[in-house]
Amino acid sequence: MSSFVFAWYSLCRQPARAVLAIAGVAVIGALLFDMLLLSQGMLISFRGLLGEVGFDARVMATSSMPMTGARVGDAAATAAAIEALEEIEVVIPMRIDQAEVVLSERRPMDFTLVGSISGHGAWTVIDGADINQRKADGDASTIVVNRNLASALNLSPGQTVTVRSECLGRRSILPTVEFEVVGIATFPFDSESQLTAAATIADFDRACGGEQDQADLFLVASRSRVTAEAAVEAIQQLRPDLYVFSNDQLVDRFERVGFSYFRQISTVLATVTLTFAFLLISVLLSVSVNQRFAEIAALRAIGFGRRRVAADLVWESGLMVSIGGVLALPLGLALAIWLDRILKSMPGIPADLHFFVVQPQAVLLHIALLATAGALAAGYPVYLASRLPIASTLRNEVVG
Amino acid sequence: MSTPVVEASGLTKTFPMPAGPVTALRQVSLRVDPGEYVAVSGPSGCGKSTLLHLLGSVDTPTSGTLRFEGEEISALTDARRSQIRLTRIGFVFQRFYLLPMLTAWENVELPQGEAGIGKAERRERTAELLDYVGLAHRAQHRPSQLSGGEMQRVAVARALANRPRLLLADEPTGELDEKTGEQIAELLDRVHADGNAIVVVTHDATIARRAGCQLRMHDGIIMPEGSG
């Protein structure tokens, strides 16, 4: 009978202990799995989100987040100069500010107004049409709204909204501007409950009281033959006064500044869960070995070597950890989905950003860490069993 | 003259105790030849079980030498001694020590598998042994489904599984009633009659009388014949 089969019989012999151990490992393993997903998830998701938008560099006036720092002046000329670089394919200036929809029968509703150029992926129209430049003074300004704003105001393409912009951080005294809603769009960095709309830069400026020629940031796409780093370097040489970041640099910065807390928390909690797994298996196996001292001594007496006794226990630990570890994966996944939903409800977190992202590396690391914990946990029981004095154990058992 | 199965010379065993060392065995010399049936009896604490454990190499003497089929075993590694116990010595315990999660068949097959015997041979030998001890019909029963006498018979079958040169039995009837003990004694007689060397430690005078050689121990010493 192989050690594996023997361990399986030993496990089945005490079903309550086995269920307790496996359930314990499954719960602890689920937490460990979630911590491993959390340790990288947000970074992976953030990188993916940046990549999905289709731009590989961002240009800003300061190193602060957009809307929190100074704006770039001479936006049109700056965009044109950057776009003229041979490394650059396209440059999209972006203005972002707060505005409100003026409603006749209730309080105004605040939303984020984006001013940019249509058709480049800064948003995606899912119903109706995209915004377009007014051709004559009498033409209506057009706007696309996100689902949240559309459903909050029951808007659909063809309707009109009255908007008052909050440019330069204070309520504008300028007259309100009428916008025709031409479409419903999704914005990649919107949070779950965010209200957002986008208009052309000209219409954005009109809402802000006239031409401002400023940009909060420029989204830059490099040519396919050029790396993002080369594009960043070229822009930096052209405009050393501006801050230019590739997607990787943004992710690195995010990892160092905002994400390090998550990594530290996940490392601490992963260590704690592993320690729990180690203690649980070690205690249960040690108790089991203590209860079976006489039986182990008898096995040794009939010729089972120390290695064989050790192998039986390592397999028993391995079975508990592997069954519990496998159960931990779906359990951890369900827990991750639930926790992700809770964390994403924090204000300002993009709805498409995930805190927990399943990666093959995380699954492999989960398996490796649990296997190591299981092997280490078997250490003390193995020591007890293999060093058991056969004769005195048999003698004490009979006398006892 | 054939090589003795086991030969002890001047065996002494001292146990360290908090109140001072206790000598359980004093200069014991003993020789068991192939096919010999030796019974060791004596009062509790006289050193019988200690002697049996030393003969079975589950313990090492404090001094003295022990040869198993001519091989000095006191100085062997633990792994080598385990191998000798597995293939050349059979153990029968007072409390049977069958593995409760295994059937009678699996308990008897277990040491054969550990010794590396092939599946077909194991099957044949296990069936033969269960038949030998009269439990072929109980092969698929677990120890909890067997009586004490049946468990001890399975334990004897397990001890014989690897065709040992020496069968060691420590109070084999100690947990059994008189009638069942008698059946086990008869089984040991058969094992002996089939040519096996047996050393049995027992309080039971009826078992001791069945042995060709009866030794009486007192205070760690084998008493001279006629002294007890």
Side-chain angles (χ1 to χ4, degrees):
Chain A
M1 184 175 285
S2 67
S3 286
F4 175 78
V5 176
F6 192 85
W8 175 251
Y9 276 124
S10 297
L11 202 60
C12 296
R13 173 183 172 182
Q14 293 174 298
R17 179 183 68 100
V19 167
L20 187 69
I22 289 167
V25 172
V27 171
I28 290 168
L31 285 174
L32 173 68
F33 186 48
D34 282 357
M35 290 309 111
L36 294 174
L37 298 185
L38 183 65
S39 70
Q40 286 291 321
M42 209 171 170
L43 275 185
I44 293 164
S45 182
F46 185 52
R47 185 177 283 120
L49 201 53
L50 288 173
E52 274 173 30
V53 178
F55 298 96
D56 45 17
R58 279 154 178 79
V59 181
M60 290 177 281
T62 69
S63 62
S64 309
M65 295 288 284
M67 291 177 69
T68 60
R71 297 190 187 110
V72 180
D74 295 325
T78 303
I82 294 171
E83 205 167 69
L85 290 168
E86 61 174 13
E87 290 87 352
I88 307 303
E89 176 81 41
V90 67
V91 178
I92 306 295
M94 296 275 285
R95 276 288 280 118
I96 306 165
D97 223 319
Q98 286 302 113
E100 61 185 23
V101 178
V102 179
L103 302 163
S104 56
E105 292 172 357
R106 52 185 166 129
R107 291 180 59 192
M109 183 172 286
D110 288 334
F111 70 99
T112 303
L113 180 61
V114 176
S116 189
I117 300 169
S118 65
H120 289 286
W123 59 82
T124 307
V125 176
I126 54 170
D127 187 18
D130 206 347
I131 54 171
N132 52 59
Q133 294 287 349
R134 287 189 316 141
K135 292 186 174 61
D137 280 351
D139 290 351
S141 297
T142 55
I143 197 168
V144 288
V145 298
N146 73 352
R147 276 183 207 275
N148 291 338
L149 191 54
S151 78
L153 297 175
N154 203 20
L155 293 174
S156 57
Q159 288 183 282
T160 303
V161 287
T162 305
V163 172
R164 178 181 286 127
S165 178
E166 190 189 325
C167 300
L168 303 174
R170 63 175 188 272
R171 296 283 178 207
S172 171
I173 55 165
L174 292 167
T176 56
V177 177
E178 296 282 317
F179 280 94
E180 182 193 345
V181 177
V182 290
I184 313 292
T186 57
F187 295 81
F189 288 92
D190 269 0
S191 66
E192 292 274 7
S193 57
Q194 191 168 335
L195 305 174
T196 308
T200 62
I201 286 186
D203 287 340
F204 185 100
D205 283 351
R206 199 159 71 87
C208 281
E211 191 176 332
Q212 296 180 329
D213 197 19
Q214 291 180 331
D216 287 280
L217 81 156
F218 297 94
L219 301 176
V220 178
S222 59
R223 293 192 187 279
S224 55
R225 60 184 165 76
V226 178
T227 63
E229 285 67 31
V232 166
E233 201 178 322
I235 299 167
Q236 203 76 75
Q237 278 183 355
L238 176 74
R239 291 293 302 268
D241 57 318
L242 297 178
Y243 287 81
V244 191
F245 299 99
S246 69
N247 288 354
D248 285 343
Q249 286 169 332
L250 276 179
V251 172
D252 285 348
R253 189 160 163 255
F254 179 58
E255 186 175 7
R256 274 184 281 111
V257 180
F259 189 70
S260 61
Y261 302 108
F262 282 96
R263 175 160 290 168
Q264 286 172 45
I265 287 170
S266 64
T267 304
V268 169
L269 291 179
T271 309
V272 170
T273 52
L274 271 175
T275 309
F276 277 134
F278 166 81
L279 290 174
L280 177 74
I281 303 291
S282 192
V283 166
L284 286 172
L285 270 182
S286 297
V287 169
S288 171
V289 165
N290 271 297
Q291 287 171 339
R292 291 187 282 165
F293 267 166
E295 192 180 294
I296 293 167
L299 275 177
R300 295 274 288 116
I302 66 171
F304 277 55
R306 281 189 174 132
R307 278 189 187 180
R308 166 63 200 244
V309 170
D312 293 345
L313 285 167
V314 171
W315 271 114
E316 198 174 336
S317 173
L319 277 169
M320 285 194 268
V321 168
S322 51
I323 297 171
V326 167
L327 292 176
L329 293 176
L331 194 63
L333 209 55
L335 190 63
I337 291 167
W338 184 46
L339 290 173
D340 201 51
R341 211 170 282 161
I342 292 171
L343 288 169
K344 274 166 61 176
S345 64
M346 286 194 298
I349 302 293
D352 288 337
L353 189 71
H354 295 282
F355 289 80
F356 301 87
V357 176
V358 178
Q359 288 283 299
Q361 294 95 317
V363 177
L364 291 175
L365 189 58
H366 165 83
I367 293 168
L369 287 174
L370 273 185
T372 307
L376 290 176
Y380 180 62
V382 161
Y383 173 81
L384 282 180
S386 59
R387 295 287 151 189
L388 194 67
I390 308 169
S392 59
T393 305
L394 291 172
R395 190 168 38 243
N396 293 342
E397 185 66 20
V398 171
V399 172
Chain B
M1 195 172 174
S2 63
T3 308
V5 178
V6 65
E7 187 173 23
S9 176
L11 288 186
T12 296
K13 181 67 183 178
T14 304
F15 294 104
M17 293 288 177
V22 172
T23 301
L25 223 53
R26 300 164 196 273
Q27 293 290 324
V28 171
S29 296
L30 173 71
R31 173 191 168 113
V32 180
D33 287 318
E36 194 175 5
Y37 190 170
V38 179
V40 183
S41 58
S44 291
C46 69
K48 327 184 273 296
S49 291
T50 302
L51 175 63
L52 194 83
H53 290 153
L54 291 178
L55 295 178
S57 84
V58 296
D59 208 351
T60 49
T62 308
S63 63
T65 58
L66 186 70
R67 290 180 180 279
F68 195 91
E69 294 187 312
E71 185 180 9
E72 166 65 55
I73 59 172
S74 307
L76 294 177
T77 62
D78 183 80
R80 178 73 187 124
R81 281 190 284 131
S82 293
Q83 188 64 21
I84 288 173
R85 290 198 297 272
L86 181 68
T87 55
R88 289 150 76 179
I89 299 172
F91 260 102
V92 176
F93 307 99
Q94 180 177 343
R95 291 195 174 170
F96 329 129
Y97 293 130
L98 299 177
L99 293 176
M101 68 283 196
L102 304 184
T103 61
W105 178 283
E106 289 166 336
N107 267 289
V108 176
E109 201 180 29
L110 189 68
Q112 299 174 67
E114 188 62 13
I117 293 169
K119 199 171 179 180
E121 194 182 338
R122 284 203 314 260
R123 194 179 298 141
E124 193 182 332
R125 177 72 176 155
T126 305
E128 179 193 329
L129 283 167
L130 285 172
D131 188 49
Y132 182 77
V133 298
L135 287 175
H137 62 295
R138 305 284 261 163
Q140 296 310 317
H141 288 73
R142 290 206 159 76
S144 59
Q145 298 165 313
L146 301 174
S147 68
E150 287 172 329
M151 281 195 272
Q152 195 61 298
R153 281 193 273 162
V154 174
V156 171
R158 178 180 67 180
L160 296 173
N162 288 330
R163 302 177 198 278
R165 312 284 190 280
L166 176 67
L167 184 72
L168 299 174
D170 191 358
E171 300 284 7
T173 60
E175 298 273 315
L176 306 174
D177 60 46
E178 194 178 335
K179 188 182 168 196
T180 315
E182 180 68 24
Q183 290 168 355
I184 294 300
E186 284 170 9
L187 178 59
L188 291 177
D189 286 348
R190 275 177 59 204
V191 172
H192 171 240
D194 290 338
N196 295 291
I198 302 178
V199 175
V200 62
V201 160
T202 182
H203 274 107
D204 190 339
T206 57
I207 290 198
R209 274 197 294 274
R210 291 167 180 268
C213 171
Q214 296 175 45
L215 302 175
R216 187 155 177 82
M217 286 190 71
H218 185 78
D219 201 18
I221 296 167
I222 293 179
M223 306 298 286
E225 270 186 71
S227 64

